[in-house]
Amino acid sequence: MIKKLFNNDNFLRALSVVVAVFLWMYIVSLNNPQVEIPITGVDIEVINTQNIDENNLDIISVSDTKTTVKVFGRMSEVSGITADDIKVYIDASEIYSANNYYLDTHSEINSNSVVVSGIDTKTVTIYVDYIQAIEKNIDILVVGEPKNGFVLKEAIPAFDKVVIKGPESMLNKVSNVKATLDITNANSDYSTVCPVKLYTANGEVIASDFLTTTVTDVSVEVKFNNSKNIPLELLLPEGINAEQYDIKLSPSAVDVVGNVELLNQLEKITLALNEEADISTNNKFDIALPLIEGIEYLGGVNTISVELIEK
């Protein structure tokens, strides 16, 4: 029977075809084997975010935005696969409120012969929070010093409020809003634009892409007064010989502001000790600074301490 088969031309032809196919498959397996290789830098997408948008939510943070994917197939096919051919995603369709969510990753590949055999990142954590808006006053933060003889009179912003929008958890960290004004070496009135920044209660600047403000800077009108350091003198009551005492004033001079003409005329400020003061029993007094029209005292100084030391 076997001899008849081998003597049969049709059988031999069929056998040769089968042997040829197996040989071809064997050669192909040697020259184009099946392999598994990693593809790095594959983006992780968040899909189905309609519920997040509709419920006034926003994604604040994502634990992983890229991953490595293993792909399996014939070498000739696998070698042509890049990160752009692979889609890794997490499904946010079940998110309706603010919270931390732990979502499994899924994948798709743009190939009929190569498959995804593994994803390094199995789960991605995303934090979702509600979007709110608050209004804050803009404070002027003055830095630097003007030229000698000048003092800042006022800094008037074009507007004094800002609306901040962002995640509730981040808005809670905003303690105040400041526009920084640098007056270093200034000696005249001027206008400038100051950057507006958000600060925590500890004075740290808050920088976040999730927080938006209605303004990022503000125009400020800056005005100065002329200033002068004026020495003080003490006038003792009649009948008291000033030469018998060393007179100590604290402070011995005060800073004042006013127009240039007034300041040029003012060389000293005289203090008068009350006629009823008994310097024989008390040698220390507090004397109020006199009111001078057109002149303003700086530094919150209202009274001068006087000590009379008998020589």
Side-chain angles (χ1 to χ4, degrees):
M1 179 67 179
I2 295 176
K3 288 182 179 180
K4 288 183 178 180
L5 286 174
F6 278 95
N7 289 329
N8 188 303
D9 291 340
N10 291 333
F11 172 77
L12 292 175
R13 291 191 187 94
L15 181 62
S16 63
V17 170
V18 171
V19 171
V21 169
F22 276 103
L23 287 173
W24 177 82
M25 291 178 64
Y26 176 72
I27 293 171
V28 167
S29 67
L30 290 178
N31 295 324
N32 190 26
Q34 289 186 321
V35 294
E36 183 183 63
I37 65 169
I39 306 295
T40 60
V42 179
D43 291 331
I44 300 177
E45 301 178 33
V46 183
I47 66 170
N48 297 330
T49 59
Q50 296 90 334
N51 290 332
I52 292 176
D53 299 332
E54 291 172 1
N55 286 278
N56 199 33
L57 296 163
D58 197 6
I59 298 173
I60 307 308
S61 64
V62 181
S63 62
D64 299 272
T65 58
K66 291 183 181 294
T67 188
T68 296
V69 175
K70 295 182 179 66
V71 295
F72 180 80
R74 291 291 178 187
M75 182 181 291
S76 60
E77 299 292 334
V78 168
S79 61
I81 297 297
T82 68
D84 293 335
D85 298 314
I86 304 169
K87 178 181 180 181
V88 175
Y89 61 92
I90 53 176
D91 189 343
S93 59
E94 297 301 316
I95 295 178
Y96 294 91
S97 61
N99 211 333
N100 278 311
Y101 293 87
Y102 308 92
L103 304 180
D104 294 335
T105 54
H106 305 276
S107 65
E108 297 176 1
I109 188 168
N110 184 26
S111 175
N112 295 323
S113 56
V114 178
V115 297
V116 172
S117 55
I119 306 173
D120 280 7
T121 306
K122 307 296 183 185
T123 304
V124 173
T125 303
I126 69 171
Y127 173 55
V128 179
D129 200 358
Y130 289 106
I131 301 300
Q132 304 287 344
I134 60 174
E135 186 178 66
K136 289 279 189 180
N137 291 328
I138 300 176
D139 300 322
I140 303 297
L141 175 62
V142 179
V143 298
E145 295 292 337
K147 282 189 175 180
N148 189 34
F150 294 86
V151 64
L152 179 65
K153 178 182 179 181
E154 58 185 354
I156 307 172
F159 42 84
D160 58 2
K161 294 184 183 297
V162 60
V163 176
I164 312 163
K165 185 177 181 181
E168 188 175 34
S169 59
M170 290 189 176
L171 287 178
N172 291 337
K173 296 179 181 179
V174 180
S175 175
N176 45 57
V177 181
K178 299 178 182 179
T180 302
L181 171 65
D182 189 348
I183 60 171
T184 302
N185 292 326
N187 59 1
S188 62
D189 298 348
Y190 66 96
S191 298
T192 187
V193 176
C194 301
V196 173
K197 294 183 180 180
L198 313 179
Y199 291 82
T200 66
N202 295 328
E204 299 174 349
V205 176
I206 301 173
S208 172
D209 292 336
F210 294 101
L211 293 177
T212 59
T213 57
T214 50
V215 295
T216 57
D217 50 48
V218 58
S219 297
V220 179
E221 292 290 331
V222 189
K223 297 184 179 181
F224 292 87
N225 273 332
N226 294 96
S227 67
K228 188 176 181 180
N229 186 259
I230 307 295
L232 302 174
E233 69 171 7
L234 179 66
L235 180 64
L236 294 178
E238 187 176 348
I240 298 178
N241 186 0
E243 294 181 357
Q244 296 179 354
Y245 298 92
D246 285 330
I247 301 173
K248 292 187 176 181
L249 304 179
S250 181
S252 60
V254 292
D255 291 321
V256 299
V257 294
N259 65 53
V260 176
E261 184 178 351
L262 282 175
L263 293 181
N264 288 338
Q265 295 174 0
L266 188 62
E267 296 299 331
K268 64 181 178 179
I269 296 175
T270 301
L271 306 175
L273 188 62
N274 194 308
E275 294 284 347
E276 299 176 357
D278 185 0
I279 64 174
S280 63
T281 59
N282 183 22
N283 67 336
K284 293 183 179 180
F285 307 90
D286 288 331
I287 301 178
L289 285 168
L291 297 177
I292 304 174
E293 186 176 356
I295 296 296
E296 180 182 347
Y297 296 105
L298 295 177
V301 178
N302 297 310
T303 59
I304 302 300
S305 297
V306 178
E307 183 178 6
L308 301 178
I309 303 173
E310 193 170 357
K311 296 179 179 178

